[in-house]
Amino acid sequence: MLKFIAIGASVGALVMGGVWGLVHVMGEPGGPSADSQMTTTLTPGANKGVMDLICELELDLNGQLKLGITDKEPSRITMAQIDFEKNSGWYQGKIAISESRSGTLQVMGTRLKVIRPAMFQRFGVMIAGEEFVIDRKTGRFVQTLNLSDGQTVNLITGTCAQVTKPPF
């Protein structure tokens, strides 16, 4: 009886070792894992070309209360883009720095800040400017409205990750 248990344990260990080895062999040869790929593609120094992002965003509760927004807004999946060559950026949404009217990019270490002056009435206040910041280290997204009375309101928060194109 003990002999069969020992044989079963040995076969189980060999099978698990084989599966582990197969998983590592079938991965990209010499390439980074998905987790490390996201980290390396969002790190400072890669300030070339266009960075396409997908973001999950939601209204910030404090900003929502400050502006008197009573509607329930579900979180949304949306696209964003940073163009290092044009020094611009945008993201999609109802209250957004849109692709057709992109903002000016400022690179501050791991933070990408896109700013656009504005002058429009919304939520009963005059909006004097809008901006969003994406931290490449954490993926954290924050959209801020600058009000004409000098107040700053964080309105939308969330997380972004870089879209990587498949090799086919």
Side-chain angles (χ1 to χ4, degrees):
M1 178 77 160
L2 232 53
K3 180 178 176 182
F4 293 119
I5 292 174
I7 291 172
S10 298
V11 169
L14 286 173
V15 169
M16 290 302 292
V19 169
W20 180 83
L22 186 61
V23 166
H24 282 52
V25 167
M26 296 300 287
E28 285 185 53
S33 68
D35 291 338
S36 65
Q37 187 177 22
M38 185 176 122
T39 303
T40 58
T41 56
L42 294 177
T43 53
N47 296 343
K48 298 182 215 169
V50 175
M51 180 186 291
D52 292 318
L53 303 157
I54 188 157
C55 306
E56 182 175 12
L57 306 177
E58 62 189 4
L59 283 178
D60 180 81
L61 182 59
N62 291 331
Q64 187 176 354
L65 293 173
K66 193 174 228 179
L67 294 173
I69 301 170
T70 56
D71 295 339
K72 285 275 191 187
E73 287 287 330
S75 65
R76 296 172 185 246
I77 303 293
T78 190
M79 295 296 297
Q81 186 179 79
I82 302 294
D83 189 331
F84 292 103
E85 305 304 317
K86 293 180 180 176
N87 279 331
S88 66
W90 57 267
Y91 79 98
Q92 297 172 335
K94 284 185 179 179
I95 309 161
I97 296 178
S98 63
E99 185 174 3
S100 63
R101 294 183 55 225
S102 60
T104 305
L105 174 66
Q106 294 178 353
V107 178
M108 305 173 307
T110 63
R111 296 177 55 199
L112 303 172
K113 184 177 190 176
V114 177
I115 301 170
R116 184 175 75 187
M119 192 55 71
F120 60 89
Q121 184 89 16
R122 187 102 186 233
F123 315 115
V125 296
M126 184 62 74
I127 309 295
E130 49 192 337
E131 65 186 55
F132 69 89
V133 176
I134 298 173
D135 190 324
R136 289 190 281 191
K137 192 172 188 177
T138 63
R140 182 84 176 130
F141 175 102
V142 177
Q143 187 230 14
T144 304
L145 298 178
N146 300 313
L147 308 182
S148 61
D149 64 2
Q151 292 185 63
T152 300
V153 177
N154 290 345
L155 185 60
I156 299 173
T157 59
T159 306
C160 296
Q162 188 169 0
V163 176
T164 54
K165 303 202 187 282
F168 46 85

